[in-house]
Amino acid sequence: MTVSKTDTVIVVGFLILVQGTGALAGFWLPAIAPEVGQSLGLSPSLIAYPVLILYIFAMISSLMAGGFVTRFGAWRSSQAALILIGISHLMFMNGSLIFLMLGSIILGSAYGLLTPPASHLLSKIVTPKNRNLVFSIRFTGVPLGGILAGLLAPPIALEYGWRESMLVTILISIVVATGMQPFRKKWDNDRSKTSKIIRNPIADIKLVWKLTALKWVALSGLCMGAIQTTLTTYTVTMLVEDVKYNLIAAGIGLSAIQLASVFGRVGWGWFADRIENGLTALIIIAMASTLCALFTIFLSPSWPQLAVYCLCFCFGLVGMGWNGVYASEIARLSPPGEVGRTTGASFFITFSGVFLGPVIFASAYTITNTYSTTFLVTAIIGICSYFCILNAKRALPLHSP
């Protein structure tokens, strides 16, 4: 299949929109948690439960995505994810706890469908010289969607009501899914109408596990996923409790992390292609994440505010900038035609880090009683990621990048 520059722009452009819509939808409810809590007479802190449900079903959906990609095509699977996103926010509009939980289940199922089909599509258009950069550009949709949710959701919810604000994401989902339709025939030409939709998901995990290099890269994703969620979960609290910032100043620190992740995802993708070695880039990212975590241990109110924000930015570059190179390496190390399956199984492992990171961090906090000191745990996880990638490199032939 001959791929033109126009084809590349169309595929990458739509995948950014799909990923961005997913992130926008995922961050929308947490961004208006106080309004939702006040409306339902609940503490805003309980928003953690819908988020937890989201990630549980994202893990399950990620494992099942391979069957959907093979049967219906990666393009159609991406459209299906968008429709599920719209349905999930339609459920949220009902406003009851039951429908909030149901909506979270549907949104999680959509979230798990985002990356496996995207990796399958990108594997068709990338070259060895641009693979990491193209995969990384696609992942900029996550921080961009998060930034938009923070900017749009609160004012719209305050002006029109939090239930009505869900219409924004519903409309965007429908528009993007409809806009993708004219290109479906071309990009789903490899679908198999006789392939099973539902298959044993354990088989996909076994496929990843028996390929030694792929296994170690997936385990590094678990570690980096733990670092990423710990960073986004505890930064504001740490800056308020340990550095004595007010909520607005602490929020700027989190914004610096999110902004840095945009530059980090593109920058690391470019760097990996420039040195023609994605695994080496991941090793550097793991080492830099460990160093940032170690610096965080020494944070105190005596630090200049600019230095604190610089550390947040640097941490965001590495702790949030690894995803594209990681997904690219998963695709590169996968057997031909199995990218959807291996990506789904690998991201199932990655999503596991979403739970492990905050749980381990919270447990360690009960011992240290300071959030900054507890980042020693994050540093240890970064070291684990480093050794995972090192093992992946050792499992490959010497001439392999």
Side-chain angles (χ1 to χ4, degrees), residues 203-254:
D204 292 351
I205 296 179
K206 286 182 177 179
L207 175 62
V208 169
W209 212 253
K210 76 177 183 180
L211 300 170
T212 306
L214 193 59
K215 173 185 69 177
W216 284 111
V217 172
L219 288 173
S220 79
L222 183 152
C223 296
M224 294 306 299
I227 291 173
Q228 178 172 310
T229 51
T230 298
L231 187 60
T232 55
T233 301
Y234 291 105
T235 292
V236 170
T237 304
M238 176 187 65
L239 293 178
V240 171
E241 296 292 330
D242 296 351
V243 192
K244 309 306 178 185
Y245 282 5
N246 61 37
L247 195 58
I248 294 175
I252 293 173
L254 183 58

Side-chain angles (χ1 to χ4, degrees), residues 23 55 104 137 151 166 171 178 193 197 199 226 277:
Y55 279 111
S104 298
I137 289 174
L151 292 174
M166 299 294 170
L171 181 62
T178 303
K193 296 181 180 180
I197 302 174
R199 9 183 225 200
N277 200 314

Side-chain angles (χ1 to χ4, degrees), residues 68-315:
F68 282 88
V69 170
T70 305
R71 176 67 176 272
F72 299 109
W75 201 260
R76 178 67 86 213
S77 297
S78 297
Q79 289 178 294
L82 289 167
I83 297 303
L84 287 174
I85 288 170
I87 293 173
S88 72
H89 278 226
L90 189 63
M91 296 291 160
F92 289 158
M93 288 184 68
N94 179 277
S96 68
L97 284 176
I98 292 177
F99 277 89
L100 281 177
M101 296 302 106
L102 182 60
S104 298
I105 291 172
I106 297 173
L107 184 55
S109 301
Y111 218 72
L113 268 179
L114 295 178
T115 298
S119 292
H120 181 91
L121 289 166
L122 291 178
S123 67
K124 295 182 179 183
I125 65 170
V126 297
T127 68
K129 291 187 178 297
N130 69 7
R131 183 184 67 247
N132 290 286
L133 179 59
V134 171
F135 269 81
S136 297
I137 289 174
R138 177 255 171 182
F139 269 98
T140 59
V142 176
L144 291 175
I147 292 170
L148 280 177
L151 292 174
L152 296 178
I156 293 175
L158 289 173
E159 180 69 24
Y160 300 103
W162 73 265
R163 292 179 179 83
E164 290 76 9
S165 74
M166 299 294 170
L167 289 172
V168 174
T169 49
I170 293 172
L171 181 62
I172 292 174
S173 299
I174 293 172
V175 169
V176 176
T178 303
M180 293 178 70
Q181 184 57 32
F183 306 97
R184 195 258 168 153
K185 184 176 180 181
K186 178 175 183 176
W187 295 107
D188 277 349
N189 61 352
D190 59 346
R191 68 187 185 274
S192 173
K193 296 181 180 180
T194 59
S195 177
K196 291 183 179 179
I197 302 174
I198 306 298
R199 9 183 225 200
N200 181 8
I202 304 301
D204 292 351
I205 296 179
K206 286 182 177 179
L207 175 62
V208 169
W209 212 253
K210 76 177 183 180
L211 300 170
T212 306
L214 193 59
K215 173 185 69 177
W216 284 111
V217 172
L219 288 173
S220 79
L222 183 152
C223 296
M224 294 306 299
I227 291 173
Q228 178 172 310
T229 51
T230 298
L231 187 60
T232 55
T233 301
Y234 291 105
T235 292
V236 170
T237 304
M238 176 187 65
L239 293 178
V240 171
E241 296 292 330
D242 296 351
V243 192
K244 309 306 178 185
Y245 282 5
N246 61 37
L247 195 58
I248 294 175
I252 293 173
L254 183 58
S255 297
I257 290 172
Q258 292 283 7
L259 181 63
S261 70
V262 178
F263 293 101
R265 290 172 192 225
V266 176
W268 286 113
W270 173 85
F271 176 75
D273 285 333
R274 188 68 181 267
I275 65 173
E276 298 182 352
N277 200 314
L279 293 180
T280 296
L282 289 173
I283 281 180
I284 296 172
I285 290 171
M287 292 172 61
S289 297
T290 301
L291 285 174
C292 287
L294 290 174
F295 277 116
T296 304
I297 295 171
F298 300 101
L299 272 179
S300 71
S302 65
W303 276 45
Q305 197 169 55
L306 180 60
V308 173
Y309 292 151
C310 283
L311 177 57
C312 289
F313 189 87
C314 291
F315 215 156

Side-chain angles (χ1 to χ4, degrees), residues 352-376:
S352 301
V354 171
F355 301 107
L356 290 176
V359 168
I360 294 172
F361 192 95
S363 300
Y365 173 75
T366 61
I367 300 173
T368 65
N369 290 320
T370 58
Y371 290 96
S372 55
T373 305
T374 309
F375 267 85
L376 176 61

Side-chain angles (χ1 to χ4, degrees), residues 37-88:
Q38 183 178 3
S39 172
L40 299 178
L42 300 171
S43 168
S45 64
L46 295 178
I47 199 67
Y49 288 98
V51 174
L52 178 64
I53 292 172
L54 185 154
Y55 279 111
I56 290 173
F57 280 86
M59 291 174 66
I60 297 171
S61 175
S62 181
L63 270 182
M64 307 300 293
F68 282 88
V69 170
T70 305
R71 176 67 176 272
F72 299 109
W75 201 260
R76 178 67 86 213
S77 297
S78 297
Q79 289 178 294
L82 289 167
I83 297 303
L84 287 174
I85 288 170
I87 293 173
S88 72

